[in-house]
Amino acid sequence: MSETLSRPQGGRTAAPLKEIPLVRPRDGIGGTLAFKRDQLAFLAGGLARHGDIFRFRPLGLPMVMVNHPDYIRQILVDKGEQYDKNAAIFKVVRPVLRNGLIANPDMALWRRQRRMMAPHFTPRAVGSFTRNMTDESVLMLQRWERDYPEGATIDVTDEIGQLALRIVNRSLFSAEVGEVAQAFERAFGVANSVLGAFFRFPFPPLSVPTPSHRRLRRAIDDMDSFVSGFIRERLSGGTPPGQDVDLLSLLLHSVDEEDGKGMDLEQLHHEVLNICIGAYETTTNTLSWTFYLLARHPEIEERLHAELDQVLGGRVPTFEDLPKLAYTRMVVEEALRIYSPAYQFMRRAVVEDEIGGYRMPAGSNVLVNSYFLHRHPEFWHEPERFDPERFSPEEAAKRPKHAYVPFGSGHRVCIGKHFAMSELVLVLATVARSHRLVMPAGAPEVLPEALITLHPKGGVHLQLEHR
Ligand code: HEM
């Protein structure tokens, strides 16, 4: 057992650190099986019983849930270097993501890859993609006009999923993904639910060919062939005119300034797949939830329409409009608070640490769950209420920065953050400028499904109307 740390205080030895409270059977919230059955209910029970930090051991795995902005800042930022990605959830998703940026535990390789890719994700670089975002949205609306009569119910999650894949692939890889987008969506859906279940109860190992593990294998193969399709095309056909600076050619040809090495094809494949996965379901879920929330809150939708009418007067938005679409952005930020799609991430404590007076043992899997953080009653009044005003500059300034982390924080913060925010605001503005998506009469509430990402269970289905 590791030695108990003491906090030095002005030369005197301070009281020993407290042990992080452990969820026990007598707490009445269960253990491994309760976590497997309903992860959100289990964690809610732990928070209600123990407050902002507690331990639990699903199948013997040491996990620590942290739910306070100070703890989260310490783990992701202040002591970010001593909390790595060798953590349980990333081991679960590694068969899909492999050595790409998202789950890569090798800090030296990660640094090199991130350094190479970062220039394509600055706000300025993203500015050159915003035209793709609005063009693809307009094409989607034209397809809707052609395929759906007024008042038809559409599968918003599926439609936006295809849109998100088209936007990211066209912007970063100059690839027109067309019909194959749907096959990627299906494969991702399978991986998300099989791995979501495996995270909650990691048994039997993925190497055991159960029917669901075989489905996962096929889904990974399908996502891999989607990616190799356009890498192969680029390798055989050369760079399309005018696309010599897209991310794909950069990854193919770039040489790291420090070690003088290029990227091998396997690593390239993993990075492209990570970008597709990182960019696709997160934005799809956010926009699905945003339209759903707007459909349930006509008074907020009205304010959104007022801003869009005033700023755009019916035309398609451009990059230059982004700073003027302040309320549209607040609507998106609030949807990202309530239904944060990348709602759980994790770090492994590399060494023993002190956190808020508690001893954080080395090897702990530290769980940050923004579903709960974004509902923390100390920082969010009536947290279940959809209220974009929380993101006005005055209200936002009253909260600690780490009370809201939809894109993470610190050195592993989402590389696609600016890309995502521009896309979310521009797609919402392009659609809501001319169309409304309304609740079908008697439609049931859509519930969040806690997979690897937070997914709207059954998808969001809304009726299409002209404004
Ligand atoms: C609403 C949209 C999005 C959300 C909520 C989101 C959320 C996140 C979060 C929370 C992380 C950090 C996870 C951690 O610290 O463990 C992350 C990382 C990442 N995201 Fe996003 N993301 C979004 C969109 C995108 C887009 C559009 C792209 C690419 C175009 C992208 C690519 C990535 C990558 C590659 C990483 C790994 C970064 C690294 O470790 O260097 N994401 N994302």
Side-chain angles (χ1 to χ4, degrees), residues 57-334:
R57 299 184 68 89
L59 288 183
L61 200 74
M63 293 249 223
V64 175
M65 164 86 174
V66 290
N67 196 46
H68 191 281
D70 292 347
Y71 300 160
I72 288 162
R73 195 191 60 237
Q74 171 166 334
I75 286 156
L76 299 181
V77 186
D78 300 346
K79 293 188 176 174
E81 297 293 328
Q82 75 190 55
Y83 288 88
D84 71 11
K85 283 212 174 185
N86 247 318
I89 197 164
F90 293 113
K91 290 185 183 154
V92 166
V93 295
R94 207 157 289 141
V96 177
L97 297 170
R98 288 156 283 184
N99 269 344
L101 279 187
I102 299 177
N104 195 336
D106 173 346
M107 285 306 283
L109 177 59
W110 168 81
R111 255 193 212 95
R112 176 177 184 275
Q113 296 297 110
R114 176 108 184 189
R115 202 167 44 231
M116 271 194 233
M117 290 193 240
H120 278 256
F121 292 94
T122 59
R124 206 188 138 125
V126 167
S128 63
F129 306 136
T130 49
R131 186 68 200 268
N132 293 337
M133 298 170 181
T134 50
D135 280 358
E136 287 291 347
S137 307
V138 168
L139 286 171
M140 177 185 75
L141 289 174
Q142 286 169 355
R143 274 195 308 278
W144 287 2
E145 292 282 331
R146 191 191 62 208
D147 297 345
Y148 301 111
E150 179 84 0
T153 300
I154 65 170
D155 183 338
V156 178
T157 311
D158 177 45
E159 292 284 342
I160 299 288
Q162 294 182 50
L163 174 69
L165 271 176
R166 288 197 179 98
I167 290 175
V168 72
N169 285 295
R170 184 166 155 187
S171 302
L172 296 171
F173 312 127
S174 310
E176 301 292 337
V177 292
E179 300 302 307
V180 282
Q182 248 174 336
F184 184 91
E185 274 191 292
R186 268 196 302 275
F188 180 85
V190 170
N192 199 9
S193 65
V194 174
L195 292 177
F198 187 72
F199 171 63
R200 294 192 302 278
F201 193 76
F203 192 82
L206 291 175
S207 53
V208 177
T210 62
S212 76
H213 294 174
R214 281 205 298 269
R215 282 197 313 132
L216 173 67
R217 187 64 262 160
R218 282 196 297 274
I220 297 173
D221 290 347
D222 287 349
M223 286 187 276
D224 279 345
S225 33
F226 172 85
V227 167
S228 2
F230 56 82
I231 295 185
R232 222 179 12 249
E233 214 168 280
R234 177 64 67 88
L235 285 172
S236 61
T239 307
Q243 305 300 348
D244 54 332
V245 287
D246 72 1
L247 184 64
L248 188 53
S249 51
L250 180 107
L251 295 177
L252 272 169
H253 304 300
S254 61
V255 169
D256 185 57
E257 54 194 42
E258 280 188 11
D259 63 15
K261 289 195 197 141
M263 194 182 302
D264 64 37
L265 275 182
E266 196 185 353
Q267 184 68 28
L268 170 79
H269 182 107
H270 297 166
E271 295 303 1
V272 171
L273 182 66
N274 274 242
I275 300 280
C276 290
I277 289 180
Y280 143 71
E281 221 238 356
T282 45
T283 38
T284 304
N285 287 349
T286 308
L287 282 165
S288 303
W289 287 119
T290 305
F291 285 117
Y292 174 72
L293 287 164
L294 288 168
R296 289 172 62 105
H297 296 85
E299 71 294 352
I300 290 172
E301 191 191 32
E302 234 169 74
R303 266 197 74 182
L304 172 75
H305 288 162
E307 175 174 276
L308 297 178
D309 292 349
Q310 191 241 319
V311 174
L312 305 175
R315 70 179 163 77
V316 175
T318 63
F319 175 67
E320 286 68 37
D321 293 316
L322 280 171
K324 293 177 242 158
L325 296 171
Y327 191 71
T328 314
R329 191 181 173 96
M330 285 158 59
V331 167
V332 167
E333 287 175 319
E334 173 68 342

Side-chain angles (χ1 to χ4, degrees), residues 11 153 177 196 211 248 285 299 301 340 364 371 426 433 444 449 454:
T153 300
V177 292
L248 188 53
N285 287 349
E299 71 294 352
E301 191 191 32
S340 196
S364 304
Y371 183 87
L426 288 173
R433 146 205 78 107
E449 191 175 18
L454 195 71

